[in-house]
Amino acid sequence: AGYALVDLWNKCFKLRQTWAKVLTIILLLFVVLSPFTFAMGVVPTFYKSSEGQARFTGPSYNQQWQVTGAWVRENVQEDAVFGHWWDYGYWVQNGFERASVLDGANRIKYWNFLMGRHVLTGQTQEEALEFLSAHETTHYLIVADEIGKYTAYSSIGSDADFDRYSWITPFRINPTRMQERRDGLTLVYEGGYVLDDDFIWDGIVFPKQQAGIASVSIPVLQSVDNESGEELITFEQPSVTLVYGGRPAQVPLECLYVNGEMVWFPEEGYKGCLRIIPTLQGSGQIENPIGAGLFVSEDGVRALWTNLYLFEQNNPKFDTSAFSLVYGTDDTFAPISMYQGRIIGPQKIWEINYPEGFTVDEETKQKYLGGNELLPDYFFDVN
């Protein structure tokens, strides 16, 4: 469009008749500059659009980042080294005024692979500590954006068969499907989780990226404490509705995270977990304390970042004792919750306390400090 306007302008001056030249220039100027609402010109239209965007646009280093940065500058030693996904490197370096292992330059892409594989989706804290120690990392940062970016860094951190590739899907309670029972009720959370791995149930294969989970049902028992008279609510083992080829199947869900407690149920089934989160009103007030959920697969439950951030270090099956939460416990910002259809949450920082006697052998250390020549061959396969 820009080229067309310039080309038409030049053509105007090549017209032989003066009246035609003047008329054409006037028409072209009208198309470009017309201020009238019924036929607004190109320049006013683009200005109005740009001005509208600018009016509601703030810095990407927003208030939440600024508050966190101020806390770091006042409370964290100046020679600290932060670990995190690479996206936040320049904000840590310039806003926090602290060093970071990764940043947006991505000069050593191999380190992105290692951070994604051995730290964020690390299967044990020891696996993560080896990489972090090699880079003299003192603190670790996780933000709510990691929930949506899980697909990216789990893909980058996977092997050739995408062994750690996964994602997290939000579910929302459907009040119309709530079923009352004599001793309580059944809550139904609806969503659409596509399986990240094959799952076999009753001899039926539910293939990854084809089958999915349409809903999660949670029986809730209601009772009254005899002494205090307080109403008690107990969440029983949930079940998921697996769907593939038009054949739904009800399968027990082995884990539920609610009210800061991770509950593992005895009946075997799908080894994922639903983290219950509140929904917020437009004003930011809690609309429903159990209004939504985040569905985490078995791969997700085994990842370090979910156990630090989503499950708040309350998974009895995953040791995170080397990570001490130093920021993100107050109420400065909303907890992990659903706000106007999107997931928001706090920024959290852990201080890393390497266990006494923890060492990394020289060969492993040099591997973790290596360059892009160490990237696996499958990174260069293009299909």
Side-chain angles (χ1 to χ4, degrees):
Y3 177 84
L5 289 174
V6 173
D7 189 54
L8 288 172
W9 179 264
N10 292 332
K11 282 182 167 58
C12 289
F13 291 94
K14 295 181 181 179
L15 295 173
R16 294 183 178 181
Q17 294 86 355
T18 302
W19 65 268
K21 184 183 302 184
V22 172
L23 180 61
T24 307
I25 290 175
I26 291 174
L27 288 173
L28 187 58
L29 289 174
F30 184 83
V31 170
V32 174
L33 301 174
S34 169
F36 302 111
T37 305
F38 67 89
M40 188 168 289
V42 175
V43 171
T45 299
F46 275 92
Y47 170 79
K48 187 175 181 180
S49 174
S50 178
E51 190 264 348
Q53 292 178 25
R55 184 182 297 274
F56 300 103
T57 298
S60 53
Y61 189 75
N62 56 35
Q63 183 186 17
Q64 188 177 35
W65 278 101
Q66 292 170 33
V67 171
T68 303
W71 182 90
V72 170
R73 293 193 302 271
E74 295 173 3
N75 295 278
V76 177
Q77 66 270 24
E78 292 185 2
D79 61 350
V81 178
F82 275 75
H84 47 73
W85 190 230
W86 67 265
D87 297 26
Y88 323 116
Y90 292 139
W91 292 343
V92 169
Q93 294 166 18
N94 295 283
F96 292 12
E97 298 179 3
R98 300 296 183 268
S100 66
V101 179
L102 304 180
D103 61 33
N106 289 319
R107 188 173 66 88
I108 305 179
K109 300 173 180 64
Y110 176 57
W111 292 359
N112 293 345
F113 162 70
L114 296 175
M115 184 71 79
R117 183 169 186 81
H118 295 298
V119 183
L120 284 162
T121 65
Q123 306 294 282
T124 65
Q125 73 168 355
E126 288 73 23
E127 178 184 356
L129 291 176
E130 287 187 342
F131 174 79
L132 296 172
S133 175
H135 289 269
E136 301 180 0
T137 313
T138 61
H139 293 75
Y140 204 81
L141 167 72
I142 297 179
V143 304
D145 290 0
E146 255 74 280
I147 298 171
K149 294 177 181 177
Y150 184 24
T151 307
Y153 57 77
S154 65
S155 171
I156 292 172
S158 288
D159 66 7
D161 297 319
F162 291 91
D163 61 336
R164 299 187 183 181
Y165 184 44
S166 189
W167 42 85
I168 289 174
T169 302
F171 279 60
R172 192 156 190 167
I173 197 169
N174 185 345
T176 65
R177 293 185 62 185
M178 187 181 301
Q179 301 173 4
E180 293 190 9
R181 307 195 318 270
R182 186 177 54 138
D183 55 353
L185 47 85
T186 298
L187 307 175
V188 179
Y189 291 79
E190 294 179 334
Y193 186 87
V194 179
L195 297 189
D196 57 4
D197 283 314
D198 293 345
F199 180 74
I200 301 175
W201 184 256
D202 283 345
I204 300 174
V205 177
F206 293 84
K208 65 180 180 181
Q209 300 188 34
Q210 296 182 51
I213 294 172
S215 63
V216 181
S217 300
I218 308 176
V220 178
L221 294 180
Q222 296 173 306
S223 59
V224 178
D225 187 281
N226 294 329
E227 296 183 2
S228 65
E230 183 180 347
E231 184 180 12
L232 301 177
I233 296 178
T234 304
F235 293 86
E236 295 190 309
Q237 183 161 8
S239 62
V240 299
T241 302
L242 270 169
V243 179
Y244 176 63
R247 300 191 305 271
Q250 292 296 124
V251 180
L253 180 64
E254 295 189 11
C255 171
L256 183 67
Y257 190 89
V258 59
N259 296 328
E261 181 181 5
M262 194 168 200
V263 183
W264 288 95
F265 296 95
E267 187 176 358
E268 292 188 359
Y270 188 83
K271 300 184 182 301
C273 194
L274 183 72
R275 154 90 197 241
I276 301 297
I277 61 173
T279 52
L280 304 182
Q281 299 173 345
S283 62
Q285 300 299 312
I286 292 179
E287 177 184 55
N288 186 341
I290 57 171
L294 296 174
F295 195 87
V296 185
S297 72
E298 181 181 1
D299 282 351
V301 173
R302 293 201 307 261
L304 174 65
W305 86 271
T306 59
N307 285 282
L308 286 174
Y309 191 80
L310 289 184
F311 303 134
E312 302 170 311
Q313 298 181 270
N314 291 324
N315 183 357
K317 299 182 179 182
F318 200 108
D319 181 17
T320 59
S321 58
F323 294 82
S324 177
L325 185 65
V326 294
Y327 179 81
T329 58
D330 56 26
D331 299 323
T332 304
F333 294 99
I336 301 173
S337 49
M338 179 179 284
Y339 176 69
Q340 297 182 340
R342 63 189 182 94
I343 304 302
I344 63 173
Q347 297 179 344
K348 294 190 175 186
I349 297 172
W350 291 262
E351 185 174 2
I352 303 171
N353 302 305
Y354 295 96
E356 185 177 353
F358 178 84
T359 59
V360 181
D361 64 78
E362 193 60 30
E363 181 181 355
T364 301
K365 183 176 181 179
Q366 291 306 313
K367 181 181 73 172
Y368 286 160
L369 294 174
N372 290 328
E373 70 279 358
L374 297 179
L375 272 171
D377 292 340
Y378 54 80
F379 265 71
F380 304 97
D381 292 337
V382 180
N383 297 318

